[in-house]
């Protein structure tokens, strides 16, 4: 067997997000979030599930940190619930909410686990949504005030900071397709939201620099390599458009200070304008210390003039494996993506901030969860991350999505991504076979293939 050793300082982690695991949705002074409002709206979430209780992590965080220590994690990526610390989004601080995160970070540090904080993982304070939410440019200002509060409380002890998780998902599923909170279906609004999110990212990075904090700061994007269904010109063009829609619309402003011109023209013609002020793109184009990548799948596309405003239709290649989310298992796509990012944007460092799969997990007669498919998925993707590192791509760490089963947005609790199985009837935690497997990978720092 060939051993693929990772760099000595490679970071092995796992990731979660506040709304998906914490519960305690209205406890200890926490304000309402747009996901509380969305999940309480009939018909939005499968089976009428909500994040009211979720994994009860708010009360069980000490037990969960012990499990992270048992796995030997180097780092734990989690997000802060903005309305838990600022119930109205701005102004009055909820000290009990802030104290929860200070205790969580303290437990992690005592366990020898580096915290990696995502400032925004989709749970905007509802009070700010009432003022227009991310479509209102003022929200960028309120985001920086919130970020500064957290920077000042935790900035001395937290080494890794992520401003936003997946602004593409916040913008399009949230404001164009209506599938995520706040459930808006307006493409022009989605473009303004995308811009204001990017602006808030740049402003928060500027503030982080001004505070002179010791950690590293970046942003996490859901990046999806796109491949043409055939090598004919129309399909290749469809591929380039889909790449601009999902990937370059965020990569280009952050790394180059400009939006992809061809797509911007299409939007001007077919959607309408969105407001960009004078030095916005200069603010967005702040130097970042790393790029976070959430990689799950590839897309294969073909030209279809009737399909959408781009004339791009995604196809499902036959004979391939798919996860419970209907996402193709395509580990080579992670290698292709990392090579492309290194070549086209040359980020100083890259972290795979999410990679994982949902499969039909069940507790077997022996009381264990034998999730062999997940182990195969993770191993294949780690092999491709390793190939990219050997090719010179500065990949510094890998966070499995997710540490534990959790609230999977519009799918509720029907999809399980965790290394740890959650029995939602009694909140019992059960380490799946993939958790034990991951523990050995972390201990050995190599995979065998
Ligand atoms: O779906 C699994 C995870 C989800 O639980 C995380 O909160 C989120 O960061 C996340 N992003 C993706 C990939 N991108 C995506 C694309 C369209 C809709 C939703 C997610 C997967 N995941």
């Amino acid at each position: 067997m060939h051993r693929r050793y990772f760099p000595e300082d490679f970071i092995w982690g796992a990731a979660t997000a506040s709304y998906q695991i914490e519960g305690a949705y209205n406890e200890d002074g926490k304000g309402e979030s747009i996901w509380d409002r969305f999940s309480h709206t009939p018909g939005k979430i499968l089976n009428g599930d909500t994040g009211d209780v979720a994994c009860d992590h708010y009360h069980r965080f000490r037990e969960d940190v012990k499990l992270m220590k048992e796995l030997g994690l180097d780092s734990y990526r989690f997000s802060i619930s903005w309305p838990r610390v600022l119930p109205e989004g701005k102004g009055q601080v909820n000290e009990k909410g802030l104290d929860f995160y200070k205790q969580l970070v303290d437990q992690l540090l005592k366990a020898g686990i580096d915290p990696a904080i995502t400032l925004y993982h989709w749970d905007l304070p509802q009070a700010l949504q009432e003022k227009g939410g991310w479509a209102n440019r003022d929200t960028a200002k309120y985001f920086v005030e919130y970020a500064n509060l957290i920077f000042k409380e935790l900035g001395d002890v937290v080494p890794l900071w992520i401003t936003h998780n997946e602004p593409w998902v916040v913008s399009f599923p949230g404001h164009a397709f209506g599938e995520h909170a706040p459930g808006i279906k307006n493409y022009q609004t989605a473009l303004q939201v995308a811009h204001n999110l990017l602006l808030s990212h740049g402003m928060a990075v500027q503030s982080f620099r001004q505070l002179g904090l010791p950690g590293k700061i970046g942003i996490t994007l859901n990046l999806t390599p796109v491949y043409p269904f055939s090598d004919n010109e129309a399909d290749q063009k469809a591929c380039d458009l889909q790449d601009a829609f999902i990937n370059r619309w965020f990569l280009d402003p952050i790394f180059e200070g400009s939006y992809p011109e061809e797509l911007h023209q299409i939007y001007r013609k077919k959607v309408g304008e969105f407001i960009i002020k004078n030095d916005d793109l200069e603010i967005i184009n702040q130097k970042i210390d790393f790029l976070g990548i959430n990689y799950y799948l590839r897309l294969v596309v073909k030209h279809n003039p009737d399909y959408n405003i781009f004339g791009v239709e995604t196809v499902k290649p036959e004979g391939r494996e798919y996860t419970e989310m209907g996402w193709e298992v395509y580990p080579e796509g992670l290698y292709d993506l990392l090579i492309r990012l290194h070549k086209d944007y040359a980020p100083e460092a890259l972290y795979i901030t999410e990679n994982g799969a949902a499969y039909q997990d069940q507790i077997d007669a022996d009381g264990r969860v034998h999730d062999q498919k997940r182990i195969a998925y993770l191993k294949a993707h780690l092999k491709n991350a390793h190939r990219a590192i050997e090719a010179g791509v500065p990949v510094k760490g890998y966070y499995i999505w997710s540490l534990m089963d959790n609230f999977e947005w519009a799918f509720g609790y029907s999809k399980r991504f965790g290394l740890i199985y959650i029995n939602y009837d009694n909140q019992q935690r059960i380490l799946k076979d993939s958790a034990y497997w991951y523990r050995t990978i972390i201990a050995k720092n190599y995979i065998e293939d």
Side-chain angles (χ1 to χ4, degrees):
M1 294 281 267
H2 174 55
R3 286 182 179 178
R4 292 176 177 270
Y5 282 90
F6 283 77
E8 261 315 294
D9 58 356
F10 192 76
I11 300 291
W12 296 99
T16 65
S18 47
Y19 188 76
Q20 297 182 269
I21 67 164
E22 288 180 2
Y25 85 102
N26 62 352
E27 271 184 53
D28 288 345
K30 174 182 169 292
E32 184 182 13
S33 79
I34 58 174
W35 270 95
D36 292 316
R37 181 64 63 92
F38 195 69
S39 69
H40 292 160
T41 305
K44 298 299 183 188
I45 311 296
L46 193 63
N47 305 322
D49 289 342
T50 74
D52 291 2
V53 176
C55 309
D56 196 30
H57 179 71
Y58 183 76
H59 299 110
R60 297 168 187 269
F61 71 95
R62 290 182 181 81
E63 170 190 358
D64 292 334
V65 172
K66 283 190 183 123
L67 291 173
M68 296 178 215
K69 185 174 171 62
E70 187 178 340
L71 298 186
L73 296 186
D74 297 318
S75 179
Y76 169 55
R77 177 187 174 225
F78 63 97
S79 75
I80 289 182
S81 168
W82 185 345
R84 193 177 292 284
V85 296
L86 285 162
E88 296 304 307
K90 58 189 175 71
Q92 182 67 38
V93 173
N94 175 31
E95 292 300 339
K96 282 187 177 178
L98 201 50
D99 196 48
F100 165 66
Y101 295 108
K102 287 159 74 173
Q103 289 184 69
L104 172 58
V105 166
D106 187 49
Q107 291 294 310
L108 288 166
L109 295 173
K110 282 176 178 160
I113 298 168
D114 279 344
I117 288 181
T118 306
L119 288 166
Y120 188 71
H121 201 124
W122 309 353
D123 42 356
L124 186 75
Q126 180 63 32
L128 295 184
Q129 189 61 40
E130 314 289 349
K131 297 173 184 294
W134 283 109
N136 178 351
R137 187 183 172 92
D138 288 345
T139 303
K141 182 179 58 179
Y142 303 140
F143 175 73
V144 178
E145 290 168 10
Y146 153 63
N148 285 336
L149 170 69
I150 306 301
F151 289 155
K152 287 167 185 166
E153 284 294 340
L154 298 170
D156 291 339
V157 295
V158 172
L160 213 66
W161 293 89
I162 295 165
T163 53
H164 282 286
N165 181 74
E166 301 187 344
W168 183 91
V169 177
V170 178
S171 307
F172 296 100
H175 293 82
F177 314 146
E179 298 152 353
H180 278 199
I184 291 170
K185 294 183 182 177
N186 182 315
Y187 215 103
Q188 190 169 15
T189 302
L191 293 176
Q192 189 65 68
V193 163
H195 182 74
N196 293 343
L197 284 164
L198 285 168
L199 179 64
S200 74
H201 156 75
M203 291 163 65
V205 173
Q206 286 179 320
S207 188
F208 184 86
R209 303 292 184 218
Q210 283 152 14
L211 289 168
L213 296 171
K216 302 286 185 187
I217 192 164
I219 187 171
T220 278
L221 302 178
N222 54 292
L223 296 173
T224 305
V226 189
Y227 301 80
F229 181 66
S230 79
D231 57 8
N232 77 43
E233 197 176 326
D235 287 356
Q236 183 56 58
K237 182 125 190 63
C239 182
D240 292 343
L241 264 182
Q242 187 74 4
D243 177 52
F245 168 51
I246 294 187
N247 303 316
R248 292 183 52 212
W249 195 254
F250 296 89
L251 287 165
D252 286 16
I254 290 166
F255 287 99
E256 298 173 357
S258 62
Y259 283 106
E261 189 47 37
E262 185 185 356
L263 181 53
H264 202 169
Q265 288 302 355
I266 292 172
Y267 282 147
R268 280 195 182 95
K269 203 161 48 180
K270 299 194 173 181
V271 176
E273 291 287 357
F274 60 96
I275 299 160
I276 304 174
K277 292 195 174 170
N278 310 346
D279 57 354
D280 283 1
L281 278 153
E282 191 184 324
I283 293 169
I284 295 169
N285 183 218
Q286 291 300 308
K287 179 191 164 303
I288 51 177
D289 302 313
F290 66 88
L291 174 65
I293 304 164
N294 289 357
Y295 176 77
Y296 288 88
L297 68 154
R298 71 161 174 177
L299 288 177
V300 179
V301 300
K302 67 181 181 185
H303 175 61
N304 174 345
D306 309 325
Y307 201 73
N308 56 25
I309 64 166
F310 305 126
V312 176
E313 181 181 355
T314 54
V315 296
K316 280 188 94 163
E318 293 184 5
R320 303 288 305 178
E321 262 188 73
Y322 291 85
T323 71
E324 283 301 302
M325 295 296 282
W327 295 345
E328 183 188 353
V329 180
Y330 195 73
E332 306 85 337
L334 178 56
Y335 174 79
D336 291 346
L337 173 65
L338 290 168
I339 293 292
R340 183 261 179 109
L341 292 170
H342 184 54
K343 172 175 158 290
D344 291 356
Y345 300 97
E348 191 174 311
L350 293 138
Y351 286 87
I352 297 164
T353 41
E354 286 180 30
N355 176 240
Y359 287 112
Q360 285 194 357
D361 298 330
Q362 60 192 28
I363 305 172
D364 277 5
D366 60 2
R368 301 283 295 264
V369 178
H370 302 302
D371 56 337
Q372 297 314 306
K373 281 188 176 180
R374 181 170 292 104
I375 292 172
Y377 178 100
L378 296 171
K379 185 174 178 181
H381 285 80
L382 278 170
K383 176 181 173 182
N384 279 278
H386 187 268
R387 283 176 60 211
I389 293 169
E390 285 198 317
V393 183
V395 182
K396 302 297 181 186
Y398 177 82
Y399 292 81
I400 290 181
W401 186 269
S402 177
L403 173 72
M404 65 180 86
D405 296 337
N406 58 52
F407 178 83
E408 181 47 40
W409 308 113
F411 293 95
Y413 298 101
S414 67
K415 308 296 181 189
R416 292 179 179 273
F417 279 86
L419 293 170
I420 300 170
Y421 184 95
I422 300 289
N423 179 333
Y424 294 106
D425 296 332
N426 59 19
Q427 290 296 346
Q428 185 191 10
R429 274 79 166 133
I430 299 172
L431 297 188
K432 301 179 191 174
D433 287 0
S434 57
Y436 295 107
W437 170 82
Y438 195 46
R439 181 171 63 181
T440 62
I441 298 303
I442 296 171
K444 298 185 299 184
N445 201 38
Y446 66 78
I447 57 171
E448 286 180 303
D449 67 82

